[in-house]
Amino acid sequence: MDKILVLDFGGQYNQLIARRVREQHVYAEIKAYNKITVEEIVKTGYKGVIFTGGPNSVYDPASPHYSPEILNAGIPILGICYGDQLMAYMAGGVVDSAENSSEYGKTLVYVDENILFKDVPTESVCFMSHTDYVSKAPEGFEIIAHTDKCPCAGMWNEKRKLFGVQFHPEVTHTVYGTTIIKNFLFEVCNCNQDWKMDDFIERTVDFYKKKLEGKKVLLALSGGVDSSVAAVLLNKAVGSNLTCVFVDHGLLRKDEGDFVEDTFGDGFGINLIRVNAEERFLNKLKGVTEPEQKRKIIGAEFIHVFEDESKNLGEIQILVQGTIYPDVIESGKGDSAVIKSHHNVGGLPSIMSFEEIVEPLRDLFKDEVREVGEKLGIPHDLVWRQPFPGPGLAVRVIGEITKEKLDILREADAIFREEVAKAGLEKMTNQYFAVLTNTRSVGVMGDARTYGYTIALRAVTTDDFMTAEWTRLPFEVLERSSSRITNEVKGISRVVYDITSKPPATVEWE
Ligand code: XMP
């Protein structure tokens, strides 16, 4: 299979670059610049390399650099933004910084006739985000694009098949970005389009059929997209040797546990054990109000339940995990602060011993996992399900968690989701849910005074959940939700809408 390497210098659009390549059915993988050598690149046989952007300046001693030998390795390279400047610097060109040379946002770019710009008009809109710029192209390079402020917005070295662009072709604001990426892949690197999800399924199933023959395989199914797709794939490969354990911690949304059981147990005929552990979890959570403590208790209890259950299954050699590609990329950036201790089923193996852990989805981006899910016949609603946190509704019930509060929240949340769906707005917002605040307020119903909980509704629009905008849901949808919730759910006297973005808030309330 043909492969492209995205060499990561710490830019914010690196995953986007790899996804743009994969959209063209060419496999791309991301490696941090300090995690792969030129020899390894050559040995792997990449058809091309893309240098990503990055926040640094090439003259800053702390900025990420790479061995200039890569330029002579005979592999086509496309440098983007910082990657373009780095290429220029490594090849002996000059990079400059001037306040009045910085460009941000949509910018007109003028391109010359070049293989990289085949089918790109002479003048079009691109996306720029830079202060430094290449002020003198290296020897052997020719300038192939410019903007009103940037004299070298593109360059190439024909003999060595090296290209650099100051703008970002991976960002959709660059109108001909896809064309430029296609030109690099097919005109310059001569890639084959052999990355297809149908082939992926066939290859993966065949691979695990052979690899896991005769072994007992265990998977923790959460009902989320990743573990569901992993379960159906592995079920195709090893059939009844796979057992899925679904821990129902009592913190799921309305009817969710039954839906998972019906879909996978009855529908796909998977060996499914549903563990009803609500009581265990609620006992452990009794009296606990601190968000991090809640998360830790749930994470630990999850492991205990799973462990107890798997003990009853006899010897199991293999654990399957639904790890996906963004979880395994080692980025070229530094460490960031922990805001919340996220919990998902990935935290299992450290205390349990298995012969091997297999991760059938570790090469896939989320949208590819979804495509595989659709092709495997997993219900559309599940494949496109909004994210749901591992600790479930525990992080949406503020203060102490009780069954009564969970039931109130489940009803309110179901109404809100139903109203968003009825209005056909599921695609307008990336995650939307209700939160049971710990605040009670006075209300009036009929002629009587009420004193019930306040429900907060939350909906966010985001690409990556690292930052998010609050979604501007139509007032009518909010009004219908509010009116139905206060009428239909006992114990609620007020509904508010959360209009905070991330940052400064997070998506979940806890
Ligand atoms: P925050 O609240 O951190 O949420 O802005 C960002 C995204 O992550 C989800 N989330 C979790 N997912 N385990 C998960 O698997 C967790 O512990 C967890 N906490 C938050 C959240 O729903 C949102 O999509």
Side-chain angles (χ1 to χ4, degrees):
M1 189 168 59
D2 286 352
K3 282 186 184 179
I4 292 287
L5 172 67
V6 176
L7 198 59
D8 179 358
F9 291 102
Q12 53 180 323
Y13 303 120
N14 302 346
Q15 292 198 21
L16 204 53
I17 300 174
R19 281 167 55 192
R20 291 282 172 265
V21 173
R22 289 191 186 186
E23 273 165 23
Q24 299 306 322
H25 303 293
V26 177
Y27 184 72
E29 56 192 13
I30 304 174
K31 296 264 192 248
Y33 72 95
N34 53 0
K35 292 276 164 33
I36 186 165
T37 62
V38 177
E39 293 75 53
E40 285 164 340
I41 292 178
V42 173
K43 205 164 133 225
T44 310
Y46 291 107
K47 296 280 281 195
V49 177
I50 301 180
F51 288 180
T52 74
N56 304 74
S57 167
V58 288
Y59 292 114
D60 176 351
S63 66
H65 279 231
Y66 200 70
S67 165
E69 274 172 48
I70 186 71
L71 305 184
N72 299 318
I75 305 171
I77 303 175
L78 172 64
I80 295 175
C81 196
Y82 177 80
D84 166 55
Q85 295 161 12
L86 186 67
M87 181 188 282
Y89 173 80
M90 291 197 299
V94 181
V95 177
D96 258 322
S97 177
E99 225 159 74
N100 63 1
S101 67
S102 70
E103 292 171 300
Y104 186 82
K106 292 181 182 178
T107 309
L108 264 186
V109 62
Y110 311 97
V111 303
D112 302 334
E113 204 167 298
N114 187 273
I115 188 168
L116 190 67
F117 300 135
K118 190 180 146 207
D119 300 326
V120 178
T122 331
E123 190 181 314
S124 67
V125 170
C126 72
F127 181 79
M128 284 285 195
S129 171
H130 72 111
T131 303
D132 287 7
Y133 68 103
V134 177
S135 57
K136 186 168 175 288
E139 222 179 284
F141 280 72
E142 216 180 290
I143 293 178
I144 53 175
H146 67 279
T147 68
D148 291 334
K149 274 188 175 177
C150 185
C152 176
M155 62 179 192
W156 81 320
N157 180 312
E158 183 174 6
K159 222 166 90 209
R160 294 199 274 170
K161 292 198 176 174
L162 305 177
F163 298 80
V165 287
Q166 180 56 66
F167 56 90
H168 289 270
E170 73 278 21
V171 172
T172 48
H173 296 319
T174 298
V175 178
Y176 288 88
T178 305
T179 312
I180 294 170
I181 286 169
K182 271 161 90 172
N183 287 338
F184 180 67
L185 298 177
F186 306 121
E187 303 295 325
V188 179
C189 302
N190 295 315
C191 288
N192 287 311
Q193 293 180 289
D194 43 20
W195 176 247
K196 303 219 168 88
M197 288 306 116
D198 283 322
D199 300 350
F200 170 85
I201 294 173
E202 212 182 297
R203 243 189 353 254
T204 309
V205 170
D206 276 357
F207 177 78
Y208 286 115
K209 213 179 244 173
K210 290 195 193 99
K211 184 181 164 77
L212 304 180
E213 205 188 337
K215 308 243 168 164
K216 293 274 176 212
V217 182
L218 181 65
L219 182 146
L221 183 71
S222 70
V225 186
D226 306 338
S227 66
S228 300
V229 172
V232 177
L233 260 181
L234 260 293
N235 184 51
K236 268 177 164 303
V238 305
S240 59
N241 276 342
L242 170 72
T243 304
C244 291
V245 172
F246 166 47
V247 176
D248 183 345
H249 48 26
L251 305 165
L252 297 170
R253 289 169 293 192
K254 191 177 175 186
D255 300 331
E256 202 164 16
D258 295 343
F259 176 68
V260 171
E261 192 175 343
D262 291 349
T263 307
F264 296 97
D266 301 344
F268 282 99
I270 291 176
N271 250 339
L272 177 77
I273 298 175
R274 175 175 177 179
V275 191
N276 290 315
E278 181 186 44
E279 223 178 290
R280 260 178 92 157
F281 278 86
L282 291 190
N283 277 337
K284 290 272 175 198
L285 289 166
K286 210 173 258 168
V288 180
T289 55
E290 208 280 314
E292 272 300 282
Q293 209 186 339
K294 283 185 190 173
R295 284 172 172 274
K296 297 231 161 87
I297 289 171
I298 294 164
E301 193 57 16
F302 189 92
I303 293 172
H304 290 144
V305 173
F306 192 76
E307 207 182 15
D308 289 351
E309 207 52 46
S310 51
K311 266 189 212 139
N312 300 332
L313 295 172
E315 204 196 334
I316 304 266
Q317 290 92 11
I318 307 291
L319 179 74
V320 187
Q321 293 198 316
T323 319
I324 68 169
Y325 195 51
D327 305 328
V328 299
I329 300 171
E330 289 188 80
S331 94
K333 285 183 230 172
D335 295 334
S336 48
V338 174
I339 308 294
K340 295 176 187 180
S341 39
H342 274 210
H343 139 74
N344 54 35
V345 290
L348 287 173
S350 55
I351 58 147
M352 298 172 70
S353 57
F354 295 96
E355 227 171 68
E356 201 179 337
I357 291 162
V358 303
E359 300 174 314
L361 310 177
R362 65 177 283 124
D363 288 334
L364 303 190
F365 283 112
K366 193 81 175 189
D367 39 2
E368 294 172 321
V369 174
R370 292 205 161 103
E371 199 182 329
V372 170
E374 294 265 21
K375 288 197 190 290
L376 288 170
I378 298 174
H380 186 80
D381 282 356
L382 203 154
V383 168
W384 289 97
R385 200 181 93 135
Q386 55 168 308
F388 186 64
L393 300 183
V395 294
R396 297 179 184 168
V397 168
I398 313 306
E400 189 185 2
I401 296 164
T402 63
K403 171 118 173 67
E404 183 213 359
K405 283 179 165 180
L406 286 165
D407 284 340
I408 291 178
L409 176 58
R410 267 190 273 267
E411 291 305 319
D413 181 69
I415 291 173
F416 182 44
R417 287 188 291 126
E418 205 180 299
E419 288 302 325
V420 171
K422 262 202 311 213
L425 296 174
E426 289 152 302
K427 292 257 152 76
M428 176 185 179
T429 171
N430 300 96
Q431 196 172 5
Y432 50 104
F433 52 87
V435 175
L436 187 72
T437 74
N438 212 17
T439 300
R440 294 215 255 178
S441 72
V442 174
V444 52
M445 222 172 213
D447 289 328
R449 176 189 193 270
T450 59
Y451 188 55
Y453 284 111
T454 304
I455 277 280
L457 303 180
R458 177 100 168 120
V460 294
T461 306
T462 172
D463 275 337
D464 55 9
F465 295 92
M466 307 287 283
T467 61
E469 271 286 317
W470 61 276
T471 307
R472 272 58 169 173
L473 284 180
F475 285 166
E476 298 72 34
V477 173
L478 293 172
E479 187 185 351
R480 259 197 312 277
S481 304
S482 163
S483 146
R484 277 192 60 197
I485 289 171
T486 42
N487 275 303
E488 295 173 31
V489 189
K490 219 166 144 249
I492 294 176
S493 57
R494 199 170 291 259
V495 176
V496 297
Y497 190 49
D498 181 349
I499 54 164
T500 335
S501 293
K502 173 183 179 178
T506 52
V507 175
E508 302 289 349
W509 274 39
E510 286 195 341

